[in-house]
Each structure stands twice: as structure tokens, then as C-alpha cells.
Amino acid sequence: MSNCAIVGINWGDEGKGRMVDLLTGDYDIVVRNQGGGNAGHTVINEYGKFGLHLLPSGIFRKGVVNILGNGVALDLENLWKEMEEVRSKGVEITPENLMLSDRASLLLPWHRELDSLEEARLADKKYGSTKQGIAPFYSDKYQKKTVMAGELMYPDRLRGRLADLLEWKNLTLSGVYGAPKVTMDELMAWVDEYGEKLKPFIKDTGRWLRNAAAQGKSILFEAQLGALRDIDYGIYPYVTSSNTIAAYAPVGSGLPSARPEKVVGVVKAYSTCVGEGPFVCEWFGEAAEKLRSAGGEYGVKTGRPRRVGPIDIVATRYGVETQAATDLALTKLDILSYMDRIPVCTKYIVDGRETDEFPFPALLDGAKPVIEYLPGWKSDISGCRSWDELPKEARDYVLYVEKAVGCHITYVSVGPEREAYIMR
Ligand code: GDP
């Protein structure tokens, strides 16, 4: 069976967790290939409601093997806490169904601290970090200034490496930010506590995946955030510090030879954006508040109100191209049911000229949206399970988006529950 990547088309929070939870039933393995605990996937199933940050969404399916690949920012402390929380609701997590790549670099306690110190320094110029240490972590990874999970198996070497890192990092903590230095005892207490707990899960997952692929096992790659947050292709600098695009999935998973034949891009039926940065079709005031509360648009990790607006065709088409999506999942269509007419941002006006091309980030600040309207359906569609059951206006909206962004909408989601969707 072929491999599949599930990715975000926009700014994140498109409902990827819900789609991975739905589709994991068709795959043997689910791999998280980038990012860390800075975003959240919401999954609702027979065990309850979960905000997953690091655990792959396949953790709820019996027989599915879940892997955190080498591209992930491996935060042992938060991962352990998340595992305990999920286990407390009756979900089994063992080294049989969760594996951590020995090549995943460790997010250390000072990464989170540095994130907060830097956001505080930036004050009103901040990027809107979730303060999970992701940017300091990836900077250090590429400076070769952290350790890999597999190094936990070699305590003497590990201690020496950490001592060197500590000496270097304390120069920044105290010299740049005036913060207290971290002691070796504090660092080792952390490593001992969480390293010991998670050691049984650490494996050569690259080799394991190569064997699994040779046996014909199918893999679902689960990404975090969306195309517009990609470090190379997003709205830099308001991006995350890793590649959120499907092309990175093989690299960050541990199976660089993989070619996901199917790329499911997840798009919300309207736009949301967390944190700072340009957001061309943003709504304010009463209309925004109405959409935000209808859609429950508050961050899974931070509880922050999300910025909202109509679907952005310009950004979405760019996201589809960047992700090389073969199929789309349009989520939260049910949220638009209250609207008399459905707003769509069809073009931007940049430097006084209309364009349907997503512009270079520096031009986004001055861009203005061109809004058109489609008829609303004004009825509850959350119980619809087939295309024909959807009101004509809702079908027309789906068909409009599909044509405008140039990719088949294969799944239409009309509720957060696993079965609340329509397959086309
Ligand atoms: P992710 O990070 O891309 O997984 O997205 P989030 O989990 O942050 O946001 C998606 C939210 O919308 C979650 O609360 C989901 O349970 C919910 N959701 C997903 N699809 C639908 C849908 O079709 N309708 C409704 N009403 N809620 C949905």
C-alpha cells in the first residue's frame, strides 16, 4: 500500500489531527517528522478529547506503530507528561507502539527558557512564539550544540558533551540575558529523570522503517502547522523553525527513500492564524468574534484567541502548490452554517494592482483582500454523511474552492468527531 503525508495548507490549526485520526486506520505506521510541542492536534475519539502536542495521532489505534522521527524537536519532559495524560484515559503506550528516533535531537530545558527570555527582550516586536523552545532548539541543532536521543545510551560520553554545552550556554544565559546559570547537577537531574523514563522507547527507527518498508508496510507522515509557516516557503520571519512541507517528510522521518504517493492537504473552510505576522484577510470586531466563537478558535497549546477571516484562495492555492497536495480535506464546513452569505478572499490588491499570486512576504503587509460572496445554506449540516445530503449552496461552495485552488477536495469534514465527514 502507498504512503501518505497529511499536511497543513495554511497557517496551521486546519484540523490535521482529526484527519490523521481518521486515516490512521488505513496505515501501519504513523510518523511525526518535524516540529515539537509548540502546536496542538485536537483529536476526539472513543477515549475522549485530546490535545496532542508531540505524540503522533495514531497512538489511539491498536496495531499502529507511532514514531517520532529525527526531524522532531524531542522534548522528553513534555513528551513524558503527555504520555501520562493519554495513558490516564486508558490508552496503552508501550515501546511496541511508540518509538523515538535515536537520531532525534533533544530539546533541553534551557531552550524553553531562552525562548521566553528572547520574547521578553523583543517586547512589542515579538514573533508570537509559544515559548516551547523550538527556535532556540533548531538553532542549536544546526549549530551542532545539542545531543541526540541515542546518546543517552552512552552515559560517559553524554556527560562530557553536556558539560561542554552547559559551559557554552551559560555564557548566553548570564552574559546576554542576565539570567541565572544552569548547574551541571540541575541538568543531570533532568536528564536522569526523563532520560531513564524514555530510554526504552529510543531505537534505530531509520533501520526499523527501512525493514518495515521492505515488508510492504504503509506509512502515514504527520506534519505540524502549515505551508505558510514553513521556514523556507512561509511568511518569514513569522514562520516556525522547521520545514512543514510534505517534501521534508521523508528526510525528517528517517526514511529518506520514501515518496509519499498521496499528499492530503488540510484546509479550513475559513482562515485562522495564531500569533503575529501578516494575515491579509483578517476580520476584526463583531464579525470576527462571531466566527471565532462559532469555530471555537482558541489555541490548543496557549488558549490564545486565534485571528480569523474568510477563506483565502490566494494563500490556499500557494499552499496547495507548495505542499504538492494530491487531495484536499476541507474541514469545519459546518461552522459557516450561521452565515447568510459566505465570504471568499479571491485576490489580493498589492501596490494598487489585483493579483492572484501569493506575494513575497515583504509585500504582504500592504496587501488588501478582494472579497466576493457565495450564497449561504443556513441549516445544520453536521449530520450530513454523503455529498447528496449537503445543501446545494454548501456543495457549490466546496466546488468553488476546489476549482479556485486547483486540487480535488476528497474529504469534507462537518464535525470534530471521527465519523463526521463526507468522502467524495
Ligand atoms: P490541527 O492542529 O491542524 O490538528 O488543528 P486543531 O486541532 O488546532 O484545530 C482543529 C479544531 O477543530 C479541533 O478542535 C477539532 O476538533 C475541530 N474540528 C476539526 N474538524 C472539524 C469540523 O469539521 N467541524 C468542527 N465543528 N470542528 C472540527
Side-chain angles (χ1 to χ4, degrees):
M1 186 162 162
S2 64
N3 299 326
C4 172
I6 297 194
V7 291
I9 293 294
N10 303 111
W11 299 266
D13 308 314
E14 299 92 346
K16 291 176 296 297
R18 175 253 184 291
M19 288 311 298
V20 182
D21 181 62
L22 173 67
L23 297 179
T24 41
D26 299 335
Y27 294 86
D28 303 307
I29 303 160
V30 179
V31 190
R32 276 278 315 263
N33 54 263
Q34 48 79 223
N38 53 329
H41 286 174
T42 309
V43 175
I44 300 176
N45 57 30
E46 68 269 30
Y47 294 103
K49 180 172 179 179
F50 300 88
L52 297 183
H53 303 291
L54 273 158
L55 284 172
S57 306
I59 201 72
F60 304 103
R61 297 273 191 176
K62 289 216 161 33
V64 170
V65 176
N66 296 273
I67 294 179
L68 293 183
N70 51 278
V72 167
L74 189 56
D75 180 338
L76 296 178
E77 181 176 345
N78 279 343
L79 175 62
W80 180 255
K81 288 179 182 161
E82 193 174 316
M83 285 165 68
E84 290 288 270
E85 208 179 307
V86 171
R87 278 171 165 161
S88 74
K89 301 213 179 139
V91 181
E92 221 175 291
I93 306 181
T94 69
E96 303 306 310
N97 71 344
L98 178 69
M99 298 181 191
L100 314 177
S101 167
D102 57 357
R103 287 182 169 272
S105 297
L106 295 190
L107 187 144
L108 296 166
W110 54 56
H111 291 132
R112 258 179 266 131
E113 198 182 337
L114 281 166
D115 224 344
S116 299
L117 290 166
E118 178 58 11
E119 284 282 291
R121 189 192 70 80
L122 285 166
D124 59 347
K125 290 185 186 159
K126 66 186 189 294
Y127 294 125
S129 163
T130 56
K131 303 191 184 113
Q132 293 300 306
I134 303 300
F137 162 82
Y138 278 107
S139 320
D140 281 2
K141 173 175 170 173
Y142 288 99
Q143 285 193 83
K144 299 152 289 183
K145 297 277 195 194
T146 179
V147 292
M148 294 196 289
E151 291 183 69
L152 290 170
M153 311 303 172
Y154 308 95
D156 291 343
R157 174 194 157 94
L158 178 72
R159 206 184 157 83
R161 294 254 293 116
L162 286 174
D164 289 347
L165 294 177
L166 179 89
E167 188 189 341
W168 172 75
K169 193 53 88 181
N170 274 336
L171 295 174
T172 310
L173 283 169
S174 66
V176 175
Y177 294 105
K181 290 183 176 179
V182 177
T183 67
M184 194 64 188
D185 285 348
E186 284 165 349
L187 182 60
M188 287 318 292
W190 185 89
V191 169
D192 287 343
E193 179 173 1
Y194 295 105
E196 283 311 310
K197 288 184 162 115
L198 285 159
K199 253 186 199 170
F201 297 86
I202 298 169
K203 302 218 169 82
D204 181 351
T205 52
R207 183 191 299 259
W208 191 91
L209 278 169
R210 286 196 294 281
N211 286 336
Q215 288 166 26
K217 303 265 193 231
S218 56
I219 306 168
L220 188 67
F221 301 98
E222 176 180 9
Q224 183 212 38
L225 295 166
L228 301 169
R229 299 292 190 192
D230 183 275
I231 181 92
D232 287 292
Y233 297 95
I235 50 171
Y236 193 90
Y238 301 98
V239 291
T240 196
S241 301
S242 62
N243 287 107
T244 58
I245 56 167
Y248 180 76
V251 177
S253 69
L255 192 64
S257 58
R259 295 289 172 267
E261 291 84 355
K262 187 166 164 174
V263 177
V264 178
V266 186
V267 181
K268 211 181 273 188
Y270 52 95
S271 299
T272 63
C273 171
V274 177
E276 314 296 320
F279 183 39
V280 175
C281 61
E282 182 166 11
W283 274 357
F284 299 93
E286 211 178 299
E289 198 41 56
K290 212 165 166 191
L291 180 53
R292 185 177 300 118
S293 73
E297 297 298 348
Y298 302 89
V300 177
K301 187 82 207 178
T302 56
R304 286 188 291 191
R306 293 176 181 154
R307 300 156 76 192
V308 298
I311 195 165
D312 182 334
I313 297 295
V314 181
T316 302
R317 193 186 308 108
Y318 176 74
V320 166
E321 287 165 0
T322 311
Q323 294 288 16
T326 60
D327 300 80
L328 291 182
L330 186 70
T331 61
K332 296 192 125 175
L333 189 63
D334 53 307
I335 301 301
L336 302 186
S337 298
Y338 77 88
M339 292 182 176
D340 295 323
R341 52 184 195 159
I342 313 292
V344 179
C345 168
T346 53
K347 291 192 174 126
Y348 290 173
I349 299 172
V350 178
D351 286 341
R353 249 176 300 178
E354 278 196 1
T355 178
D356 51 15
E357 291 274 334
F358 192 71
F360 184 70
L363 296 172
L364 280 170
D365 283 336
K368 297 271 173 293
V370 175
I371 304 290
E372 292 179 21
Y373 294 89
L374 271 69
W377 44 92
K378 295 286 276 180
S379 61
D380 181 8
I381 57 169
S382 59
C384 296
R385 294 293 177 269
S386 71
W387 181 240
D388 294 340
E389 280 173 72
L390 277 181
K392 180 177 180 309
E393 294 80 4
R395 277 183 277 146
D396 286 348
Y397 178 67
V398 175
L399 293 172
Y400 177 92
V401 173
E402 177 173 278
K403 187 158 180 239
V405 303
C407 185
H408 186 255
I409 296 177
T410 309
Y411 311 89
V412 179
S413 175
V414 291
E417 304 84 14
R418 193 180 271 172
E419 301 310 326
Y421 76 101
I422 292 161
M423 175 110 178
R424 288 180 66 229

